[in-house]
Structures are given as structure tokens and as C-alpha cells.
């Protein structure tokens, strides 16, 4: 998902309707991480009556090997539960085999390897039902580009929504979010949203004025869908999908972007 420039939220709710039973396997965002309020915020939820194990990574130094300039030097992850948003339940600065549940944890979920001893952050968490947020920043409050990832380790309980609130720039500074549908047959229908103007009533300063969103197929770079202003699409179907996914509504005629 490609977004272009200011603060925006991307929401990928995994709907629970029985006819769309294929789970989401992982979610990621490559974004500019700033200091203080410009940290990257990743939100997700575990469905009612379920327990899920997730791998959360904040990759900074390892991006240099992929040709990414200006990578975040030393990311740190703090994980919060919505029930207690002021006290982290887990924190990781520099990953080790102990924080991820073994040296082969990355391979098990199809994540690329991190160099032992690197300053990238990663941890495995087993979580009960509810909403959670992972905040990523640099340990010394510096700025840079990071890849923030959430992987489904258990493959059973559902991640019912996934979102990122981060700075959106231009050129190499656009927000790139990735998601994967697990193999095994079937399709998944999701609303994908880029909320910019809708963040202003929620007290977010510097919200992206007019986000645009594109869905690109990995490997082929084929654009599958795109939207600028959500009301120019099927607004009725989108509104119903927002409601079903538990997402906050968009104002009629706003310049937020969304598509199914």
C-alpha cells in the first residue's frame, strides 16, 4: 500500500465473516520514524475468546543491506495493551534469540534474517483478546526509516485489524505498508484506509491533507486498486465495511482515502 505526504493512519481490518475465512499472515510498514510524537504507532487486535502469539519487529540497521538510506540507527519497541495504555507490557531494544523464542523464529514465519548482535528490535508476545499498540522510536530519539512488522506465529486466532500511524513524506518518504494472505486457498476481502483529515478531530496535529492509496501486487508491481477520495468509490459498501470492522467512520465528502 503506497501513501503519499503528513501524518496518516492505514487500517487493514481482517473481517470475521465466515465467507472470508483466509487469515492474514503478516503486516508491515516501512515508514519515517521521528522523535517524541512522531514515533511510529502500530495497532492490532486479537479477537474475542482467543489467544494469539505474534512476532513484532522494528528493523532499522538491517535495512542498510537492502539499499535503504537513512535507516533508524537503534529502534526500540514498546508494546501496550489498550486496557493500560501508559505502562508497556513488553519492551525490546536489541533483539536476541531469547526475545524471539529461538534462533529459527524468523524462518518459521517467513521473515528475513537479522544479523546476530544487530541493533534491530524484535520480540515474541502471547496475547489474550483485546487491542494492542506497539510504539517504535529510536533509543536516542533520533529520526530515520524503519520497517515495522507484525507476524502471525500461531496461525489460529485472528488478528482482527492492523493499523499504522506514522509520518508520510514524498519520494522515498512515502509510507509503504505490506500485508500477506496465508497460503492454502481462498481469498480475503478487506477495507484498506488512509485516514488523514479524519485524524484532526481526534487531536492529531499535522494530519495528511489529502492522502491517496494504491494496492500493489508484490513481485509484479501491478496496481490492483487505487483511491484518492473515498467518497468517489462505493461509499455505501465502504461505510458498511468500516462498521463491520469496528473502524471509526469517515465524514461524507472528506479527502480521506479507502477502498475494498
Amino acid at each position: 500500500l503506497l501513501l503519499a505526504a503528513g501524518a496518516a493512519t492505514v487500517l487493514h481490518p481482517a473481517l470475521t465473516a465466515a465467507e472470508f475465512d483466509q487469515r492474514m499472515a503478516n503486516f508491515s510498514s516501512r515508514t519515517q520514524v521521528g522523535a517524541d510524537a512522531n514515533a511510529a504507532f502500530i495497532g492490532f487486535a486479537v479477537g474475542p475468546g482467543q489467544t494469539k502469539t505474534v512476532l513484532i519487529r522494528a528493523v532499522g540497521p538491517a535495512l542498510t543491506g537492502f539499499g535503504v538510506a537513512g535507516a533508524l540507527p537503534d529502534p526500540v519497541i514498546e508494546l501496550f495493551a489498550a486496557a493500560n495504555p501508559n505502562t508497556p507490557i513488553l519492551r525490546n531494544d536489541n533483539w536476541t534469540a531469547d526475545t524471539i523464542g529461538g534462533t529459527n523464529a524468523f524462518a518459521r514465519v517467513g521473515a528475513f534474517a537479522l544479523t546476530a548482535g544487530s541493533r534491530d528490535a524484535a520480540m515474541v508476545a502471547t496475547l489474550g483478546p483485546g487491542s494492542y499498540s506497539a510504539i517504535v522510536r529510536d533509543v536516542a530519539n533520533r529520526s530515520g526509516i524503519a520497517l515495522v512488522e507484525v507476524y502471525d506465529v500461531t496461525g489460529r486466532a485472528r488478528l482482527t485489524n492492523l493499523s499504522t500511524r506514522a509520518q508520510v513524506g514524498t519520494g522515498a518518504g512515502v509510507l509503504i505498508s505490506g500485508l500477506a494472505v496465508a497460503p492454502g486457498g481462498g481469498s480475503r476481502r478487506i477495507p484498506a484506509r488512509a485516514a488523514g483529515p479524519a485524524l484532526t478531530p481526534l487531536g492529531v496535529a499535522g494530519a495528511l491533507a489529502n492522502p491517496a492509496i494504491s494496492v500493489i501486487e508484490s513481485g509484479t508491481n501491478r496496481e490492483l486498486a487505487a483511491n484518492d477520495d473515498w467518497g468517489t468509490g462505493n461509499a455505501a459498501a465502504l461505510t458498511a465495511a468500516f462498521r463491520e470492522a469496528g473502524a471509526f467512520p469517515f465524514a461524507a465528502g472528506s479527502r480521506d482515502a479507502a477502498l475494498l
Side-chain angles (χ1 to χ4, degrees):
L1 303 175
L2 305 181
L3 298 181
T9 295
V10 189
L11 181 65
H12 313 291
L15 302 181
T16 57
E19 64 268 30
F20 304 122
D21 195 40
Q22 188 68 358
R23 68 183 176 90
M24 305 304 296
N26 67 67
F27 166 82
S28 63
S29 287
R30 197 205 76 173
T31 183
Q32 179 74 28
V33 178
D36 301 322
N38 290 324
F41 294 76
I42 305 296
F44 60 93
V46 178
Q50 301 175 342
T51 299
K52 173 164 279 300
T53 300
V54 295
L55 168 66
I56 306 172
R57 310 203 309 177
V59 181
L63 295 182
T64 303
F66 294 96
V68 177
L72 195 66
D74 191 356
V76 58
I77 305 169
E78 291 182 309
L79 180 64
F80 296 83
N84 189 4
N86 298 316
T87 303
I89 55 177
L90 284 175
R91 184 183 187 276
N92 179 255
D93 179 4
N94 302 324
W95 77 279
T96 67
D98 289 339
T99 67
I100 64 168
T103 55
N104 65 340
F106 298 155
R108 288 202 309 269
V109 297
F112 62 84
L114 300 177
T115 303
S118 76
R119 292 183 178 270
D120 305 288
M123 60 187 182
V124 166
T126 299
L127 306 169
S131 298
Y132 300 88
S133 60
I135 299 178
V136 174
R137 55 172 58 87
D138 183 80
V139 72
N141 226 17
R142 294 165 291 192
S143 297
I145 293 174
L147 178 68
V148 185
E149 304 171 299
V150 179
Y151 287 89
D152 178 353
V153 176
T154 57
R156 292 181 181 273
R158 292 181 182 274
L159 290 173
T160 55
N161 70 68
L162 295 156
S163 63
T164 302
R165 198 206 78 177
Q167 288 291 309
V168 180
T170 59
V174 299
L175 175 59
I176 302 175
S177 293
L179 56 87
V181 177
S187 300
R188 186 145 198 89
R189 181 175 179 262
I190 63 166
R193 315 200 311 175
L199 297 182
T200 300
L202 302 178
V204 177
L208 191 63
N210 189 6
I213 187 170
S214 300
V215 180
I216 308 295
E217 184 178 53
S218 178
T220 67
N221 288 329
R222 182 168 62 101
E223 184 178 84
L224 303 180
N227 179 257
D228 180 4
D229 300 332
W230 77 283
T232 61
N234 189 338
L238 285 166
T239 298
F242 299 166
R243 184 169 53 250
E244 183 178 357
F248 61 85
F250 285 169
S254 76
R255 294 196 167 188
D256 304 287
L259 49 82
L260 286 170

